[in-house]
Amino acid sequence: MIADLVHNGTSFDDTPLGFSTRTIHVGNGVDAETGAIRRPLTFANAYALPYDPSDINWSSSDVNLYARNGHPNQRYLEKKLADLEGAEDSVVLASGVAALSATFTTFLDSGDHAVFSDTTYIAAYRLLHQILPEKYGIRTSMVDSSDTSAVAAAIGPQTRLVHIETPANPTLKVTDIAAVAAVVRDAERRYGHDILLSVDNTFNSPFNVRPLDLGADIVIESLTKYINGHGDALGGVIATTKERTDRIRYVYQVNYGGIISPFNAWLINRGSSTLELRMRRHNASALAVARHLEGLGKVRFVAYPGLEDHPGHDVAVSQLTSPEAGFGGVLSFALDTDHDGHNRFVSHLNVITSAVSLGHDESLIVFLGEDDERRDLYPPRFRNGFFRLAIGLEDVDDILRDIDHALAEAGI
Ligand code: PLP
């Protein structure tokens, strides 16, 4: 069976296996007890101890001991995701936010300094801007990471971590990962210690962009989004070196306890098998919707890195894993109307659902920006409110007709 042969993308001959083959086979295998060709779902909190358990390290995550120390469904998924991200190892946790907080709390100590993008998912912002400084004495600097010189200027002798998110939620600002990595390596030489570059790759998924190939040290994904793809399970992953995943397991997983449930790990493993097919559809449909919206003459702006006029377009193109990859399924836009006009538009949508999240099979829309605590950090055109639209897997013609129909019904 191919799954038993697959190791880090190599196979039965010298030709590397393709992305879809790996999403299907890595981490899968034949169940030794039943012969089932799918990994079973193992719901057990505890595992049988040996005759003499006195040598056991109760904080170990390498052996089946207790589910919070690690469990089989988590490990199957970790193997697959490490492979897809091009990492030595990965740790799967309870949510994307658990992956973010695990990274920050494992690799930052009080007195350390971290630099982070001024546009990130809200929990990353709150952790780095407020919670870690106030509770743990970690100093942080928020910078416009699309400006590499601003990142360079913010790094100092105490800096241990640079965290970026690209494209950023919710404005779609693009950061040049390779350029920031070069700045970080330069600072390491200057200050004589390691500085980690972590990248939240949730909006891309590893089908579109692989930050580790571009020089990042750590890649974080909310598995809740594209990698699961079906809007029915929360999860998060950190992919990096084995030395670092060991530390994350020891410090965060076992002691803070943000473990993923076996069922969610199983669901995400199943969903991820179709990641390439789904990403191709998300990429193509989002580009078609962005172009359609731009052509309507009823929008104040459309932000999507796949559009040639997006300020980060060239950088976004340079980061793609292959010419087959794209710019993800999320775009932001504002209609040429007032507050109520935006609500009226949403109330007439039938195919697109009014709800938060992204990377689901169904298209989701949410109105943001007007009373956001970070409103002043957004570029001016975002400050009067805008939609974040996460394009799903429906037929793109139905999505386009839904938009046109809702605009007409709302009188926009
Ligand atoms: N990172 C990004 C870019 C996100 O958009 C999100 C959620 O929207 C998260 C992290 C957090 O993920 P989760 O909801 O799985 O905790």
Side-chain angles (χ1 to χ4, degrees):
M1 190 182 188
I2 201 165
D4 298 326
L5 299 169
V6 174
H7 256 299
N8 296 326
T10 54
S11 68
F12 45 88
D13 59 20
D14 290 339
T15 314
L17 294 165
F19 189 87
S20 273
T21 308
R22 292 184 286 124
T23 60
I24 292 163
H25 289 288
V26 180
N28 197 12
V30 176
D31 177 45
E33 187 180 340
T34 62
I37 63 164
R38 316 284 321 186
R39 291 295 193 188
L41 175 52
T42 306
F43 276 130
N45 289 350
Y47 294 81
L49 296 173
Y51 169 73
D52 180 1
S54 55
D55 283 345
I56 285 187
N57 171 0
W58 301 109
S59 291
S60 170
S61 45
D62 293 338
V63 287
N64 286 335
L65 183 66
Y66 183 63
R68 178 161 39 75
N69 297 51
H71 54 78
N73 292 103
Q74 177 193 19
R75 293 198 188 97
Y76 303 141
L77 182 56
E78 288 174 342
K79 190 164 182 217
K80 179 189 293 193
L81 295 175
D83 180 76
L84 298 182
E85 301 286 0
E88 227 172 69
D89 194 19
S90 81
V91 189
V92 166
L93 296 166
S95 66
V97 167
L100 288 165
S101 58
T103 302
F104 304 153
T105 53
T106 301
F107 297 113
L108 290 171
D109 293 325
S110 72
D112 288 347
H113 174 250
V115 176
F116 69 104
S117 303
D118 62 2
T119 317
T120 60
Y121 180 61
I122 185 78
Y125 166 79
R126 290 201 189 120
L127 280 165
L128 290 168
H129 186 60
Q130 193 186 340
I131 297 170
L132 295 180
E134 286 174 9
K135 285 191 178 293
Y136 300 100
I138 291 160
R139 284 189 313 112
T140 60
S141 303
M142 189 165 56
V143 297
D144 174 359
S145 57
S146 68
D147 174 0
T148 309
S149 59
V151 180
I155 298 176
Q158 261 75 50
T159 307
R160 293 289 179 169
L161 178 86
V162 174
H163 176 73
I164 59 176
E165 182 178 308
T166 179
N169 186 359
T171 61
L172 284 302
K173 177 151 76 178
V174 171
T175 293
D176 187 335
I177 300 168
V180 172
V183 157
V184 167
R185 299 289 88 93
D186 198 46
E188 281 180 329
R189 282 188 288 274
R190 194 166 346 119
Y191 296 119
H193 62 242
D194 288 351
I195 301 173
L196 298 175
L197 173 59
S198 76
V199 178
D200 187 328
N201 196 47
T202 299
F203 271 35
N204 296 313
S205 88
F207 177 67
N208 286 334
V209 178
R210 295 211 315 175
L212 300 181
D213 294 348
L214 300 169
D217 301 300
I218 292 173
V219 59
I220 295 169
E221 311 259 2
S222 165
L223 304 174
T224 314
K225 317 298 181 188
Y226 293 112
I227 293 178
N228 178 44
H230 296 78
D232 49 15
L234 294 183
V237 70
I238 305 153
T240 183
T241 60
K242 175 84 170 81
E243 194 190 340
R244 293 192 200 113
T245 55
D246 280 348
R247 275 189 70 194
I248 294 166
R249 290 190 181 97
Y250 181 75
V251 174
Y252 184 88
Q253 177 182 302
V254 176
N255 296 301
Y256 286 70
I259 190 83
I260 192 164
S261 77
F263 187 45
N264 280 3
W266 184 90
L267 276 174
I268 293 168
N269 207 345
R270 183 173 73 158
S272 66
S273 295
T274 52
L275 181 61
E276 173 171 348
L277 295 172
R278 290 185 287 100
M279 285 318 298
R280 284 176 182 271
R281 179 80 163 232
H282 286 295
N283 292 341
S285 296
L287 185 58
V289 172
R291 288 192 174 135
H292 182 76
L293 284 168
E294 256 197 340
L296 284 177
K298 294 179 180 180
V299 295
R300 288 210 303 272
F301 72 87
V302 183
Y304 182 64
L307 294 174
E308 281 79 6
D309 63 2
H310 188 280
H313 178 71
D314 292 345
V315 171
V317 171
S318 75
Q319 297 185 150
L320 297 180
T321 50
S322 82
E324 303 277 289
F327 307 92
V330 184
L331 53 105
S332 294
F333 70 100
L335 295 171
D336 200 2
T337 182
D338 58 9
H339 177 92
D340 191 57
H342 283 97
N343 286 337
R344 273 201 318 282
F345 169 72
V346 172
S347 74
H348 290 290
L349 290 168
N350 294 299
V351 175
I352 302 168
T353 304
S354 172
V356 297
S357 205
L358 55 113
H360 294 193
D361 43 6
E362 66 186 304
S363 296
L364 302 171
I365 194 165
V366 58
F367 191 61
L368 299 169
E370 271 186 331
D371 49 10
D372 190 320
E373 66 195 77
R374 295 177 301 165
R375 182 173 176 272
D376 292 345
L377 295 172
Y378 295 149
R381 62 184 185 162
F382 287 85
R383 291 183 197 161
N384 293 327
F386 61 96
F387 287 121
R388 187 188 67 197
L389 174 57
I391 298 299
L393 303 173
E394 300 94 341
D395 293 276
V396 68
D397 285 346
D398 292 334
I399 299 171
L400 297 175
R401 282 191 306 113
D402 197 34
I403 290 170
D404 290 350
H405 175 259
L407 284 170
E409 290 287 317
I412 296 165

